[in-house]
């Protein structure tokens, strides 16, 4: 079975060798088309109170943070991207981390105002901030809403105190649900995360927890199977045999159970790990999955601008040093080849229930479909009920999602 990754879209992607100014020397067809396209903005706040044992995100613990200095640095990094992306319409802003709810509301307000000055903001712009459900951070929710944040993604992670302790979370269930109630009063849209397929978790226990989660009435849930990521404390424990793995058959059962329960509740799966009512999907994350352009600023942030892949320095101090030298935090950037763009569109888009339009990918990359899809393999998998082919669209079926990694390896021509 495909292990459902805890990785956010900002974490995925390969590293690219830097090519300096050559990164901006793209063909005129992509330059001309992309200037009028919609744009998403990702802002990375890298700091956390503590490091969770399952987490391999770009997060760091520091004794103190100069909030004013970080505000100015992020604004400077943002200005660099804006100068390279003029004339765009901004459809979403996403504050990710780390723990962005540790950011002073004045910093969020300054970044939102600056972004709206650089680009035209869509009338229905989505502005999301990831938050931990602690009482200290919940106390900032009203000020963050006043700053312009209209959607919060809350890291509840579990509705069981024993599981929260196992996951290294600083909050308990009572505090988490109090933060959820505050968020629902303050923000227009609320999503929260849960992690399942924990060691020893039964199907009955997960079903009860999921049904309780659905009873709170949010329109979006992110539901991740626990994945042991290299370099984490859980990975070290697993290597020593001190962390039992969830049985793969049980994990598959939990995955299918999750889809059935959420669909019945009116929040069907629209991406491997994301479930929402119609119209309440994360517009920002859909930009990643649909091959859209997005600017990424802050330590470790990835971006895609007019066919160019960008990545910032991961370590906060290195990012700050690069800003002082270069007025931006970029460590790597280069123009993606047509083949790389096509492959990335498949790897991201096939995570979606809607799948991908292969004719559109072909048009946008000027590549014939057989150069990036093994059509014989796709036809065979379609006959097996693992893929769905509909004129120009290609999608992974519900049964196929259990084998997503294997399917991608078979049909995607890198």
């Amino acid at each position: 079975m495909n292990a459902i990754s805890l990785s956010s879209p900002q974490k995925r992607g390969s590293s690219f060798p830097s090519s300096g100014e050559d990164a901006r020397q793209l063909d005129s067809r992509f330059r001309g088309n992309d200037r009028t396209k919609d744009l998403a903005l990702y802002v990375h706040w890298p700091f956390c109170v503590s490091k969770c044992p399952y987490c391999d995100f770009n997060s760091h613990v520091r004794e103190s943070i100069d909030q004013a200095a970080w505000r100015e640095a992020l604004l400077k990094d943002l200005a660099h991207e804006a100068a390279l992306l003029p004339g765009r319409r901004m459809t979403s802003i996403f504050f990710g981390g780390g723990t962005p709810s540790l950011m002073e509301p004045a910093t969020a307000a300054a970044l939102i105002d600056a972004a709206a000055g650089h680009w035209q903001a869509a009338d229905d712009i989505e502005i999301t901030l990831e938050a931990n459900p602690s009482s200290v951070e919940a106390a900032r929710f009203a000020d963050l809403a006043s700053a312009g944040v209209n959607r919060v993604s809350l890291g509840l992670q579990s509705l069981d105190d024993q599981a929260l302790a196992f996951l290294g979370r600083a909050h308990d269930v009572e505090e988490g649900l109090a933060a959820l109630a505050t968020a629902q009063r303050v923000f227009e849209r609320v999503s929260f995360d849960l992690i399942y397929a924990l060691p020893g978790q039964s199907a009955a226990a997960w079903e009860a927890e999921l049904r309780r989660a659905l009873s709170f009435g949010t329109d979006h849930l992110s539901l991740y199977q626990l994945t042991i990521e290299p370099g984490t404390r859980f990975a070290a424990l697993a290597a020593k045999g001190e962390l039992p793995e969830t049985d793969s058959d049980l994990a598959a059962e939990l995955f299918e159970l999750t889809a059935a329960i959420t669909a019945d509740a009116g929040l069907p799966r629209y991406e491997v790990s994301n479930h929402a009512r119609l119209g309440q999907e994360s517009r920002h994350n859909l930009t990643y999955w649909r091959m859209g352009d997005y600017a990424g600023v802050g330590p470790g942030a990835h971006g895609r601008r007019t066919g160019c892949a960008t990545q910032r320095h991961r370590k906060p101090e290195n990012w700050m040093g690069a800003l002082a030298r270069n007025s931006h935090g970029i460590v790597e950037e280069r123009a993606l080849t047509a083949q790389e763009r096509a492959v990335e569109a498949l790897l991201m888009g096939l995570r979606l229930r809607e799948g991908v339009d292969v004719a559109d990918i072909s048009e946008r990359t000027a590549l014939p479909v057989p150069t990036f899809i093994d059509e014989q393999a796709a036809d065979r998998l379609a006959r097996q009920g693992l893929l769905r082919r509909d004129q120009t669209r290609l999608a992974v079926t519900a049964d196929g999602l259990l084998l997503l990694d294997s399917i991608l390896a078979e049909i995607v021509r890198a």
Side-chain angles (χ1 to χ4, degrees):
M1 141 170 204
N2 173 57
I4 307 306
S5 174
L6 290 172
S7 302
S8 71
Q10 273 294 324
K11 256 188 79 278
R12 96 285 182 277
S14 54
S15 298
F16 301 102
S18 178
S19 57
E21 293 299 316
D22 290 342
R24 297 170 199 145
Q25 304 306 310
L26 305 174
D27 63 84
S28 59
R29 181 172 59 85
F30 272 86
R31 276 189 180 278
N33 288 348
D34 281 7
R35 288 180 67 85
T36 59
K37 281 186 178 179
D38 290 343
L39 179 74
L41 170 65
Y42 177 83
V43 179
H44 192 78
W45 182 263
F47 302 114
C48 286
V49 172
S50 61
K51 186 79 170 179
C52 295
Y54 58 84
C55 177
D56 71 336
F57 292 178
N58 184 35
S59 60
H60 305 264
V61 178
R62 298 290 184 268
E63 289 186 8
S64 63
I65 301 166
D66 187 334
Q67 293 270 350
W70 271 86
R71 179 163 54 246
E72 292 308 309
L74 287 166
L75 288 168
K76 192 174 186 178
D77 210 18
L78 172 61
H80 176 82
E81 286 300 303
L84 297 172
L85 290 163
R88 295 300 192 91
R89 188 179 82 117
M90 183 172 55
T91 58
S92 67
I93 302 173
F94 194 102
F95 292 95
T99 309
S101 49
L102 296 173
M103 177 191 303
E104 287 185 350
T107 299
L111 287 161
I112 292 168
D113 289 347
H118 293 309
W119 298 296
Q120 175 192 357
D123 292 339
D124 61 347
I125 187 170
E126 174 189 272
I127 304 178
T128 302
L129 183 135
E130 291 182 332
N132 268 343
S134 75
S135 56
V136 172
E137 290 159 72
R140 296 182 173 184
F141 285 175
D143 289 337
L144 287 166
S146 296
V149 175
N150 55 27
R151 182 177 182 272
V152 71
S153 178
L154 201 61
L156 289 185
Q157 311 306 7
S158 180
L159 301 177
D160 178 85
D161 281 335
Q162 186 175 353
L164 287 172
F166 166 74
L167 292 168
R169 304 296 289 168
H171 68 279
D172 59 17
V173 173
E174 182 180 3
E175 187 177 28
L177 293 182
L180 175 60
T182 299
Q184 289 179 302
R185 286 196 305 270
V186 169
F187 297 105
E188 296 174 26
R189 299 169 64 200
V190 176
S191 175
F192 62 87
D193 299 357
L194 293 177
I195 301 174
Y196 69 105
L198 304 179
Q201 185 177 42
S202 67
W206 170 237
E207 178 176 353
E209 183 173 3
L210 180 55
R211 291 192 184 280
R212 186 184 182 195
L214 288 163
S215 74
F216 299 132
T218 63
D219 292 327
H220 189 286
L221 291 175
S222 295
L223 307 172
Y224 303 106
Q225 287 198 358
L226 179 65
T227 303
I228 307 304
E229 301 285 1
T232 64
R233 198 184 329 154
F234 273 178
L237 291 174
K240 293 188 291 184
E242 297 177 8
L243 184 67
E245 294 185 19
T246 299
D247 176 77
S248 60
D249 289 338
L250 175 59
E253 179 186 350
L254 295 178
F255 186 70
E256 293 176 327
L257 179 67
T258 300
I261 292 173
T262 55
D264 186 60
L267 282 76
R269 174 184 290 129
Y270 71 97
E271 188 269 346
V272 172
S273 302
N274 287 277
H275 308 252
R277 295 194 193 282
L278 184 63
Q280 294 301 311
E281 300 87 353
S282 168
R283 299 173 208 161
H284 184 87
N285 287 344
L286 283 172
T287 296
Y288 304 142
W289 294 321
R290 289 174 172 169
M291 201 182 172
D293 269 6
Y294 55 98
V297 302
H302 289 260
R304 294 292 183 272
R305 54 165 139 82
T306 58
C308 176
T310 67
Q311 184 180 357
R312 262 61 183 173
H313 287 272
R314 285 178 57 85
K315 188 176 179 181
E317 290 78 11
N318 293 348
W319 177 79
M320 278 284 203
L323 275 170
R325 295 189 304 272
N326 308 318
S327 296
H328 62 73
I330 295 172
V331 63
E332 296 169 333
E333 66 176 338
R334 78 171 178 90
L336 297 172
T337 66
Q339 189 73 24
E340 287 171 327
R341 293 197 300 270
V343 168
E344 186 170 273
L346 290 171
L347 296 181
M348 298 299 287
L350 287 174
R351 296 178 64 87
L352 292 169
R353 184 177 60 178
E354 70 186 24
V356 296
D357 186 332
V358 294
D360 178 63
I361 296 173
S362 177
E363 180 181 352
R364 293 173 68 177
T365 60
L367 292 174
V369 172
T371 63
F372 55 87
I373 289 180
D374 184 329
E375 299 212 72
Q376 286 188 337
D379 286 339
R380 174 173 49 78
L381 292 168
R383 289 193 298 270
Q384 295 172 358
L386 302 176
L387 284 179
R388 185 175 65 252
R389 302 198 74 174
D390 180 11
Q391 294 180 334
T392 66
R393 295 203 71 82
L394 182 67
V396 179
T397 65
D399 288 341
L401 282 178
L402 292 168
L403 302 166
L404 180 59
D405 286 346
S406 298
I407 288 172
L408 293 174
E410 286 197 53
I411 67 171
V412 177
R413 287 183 162 162

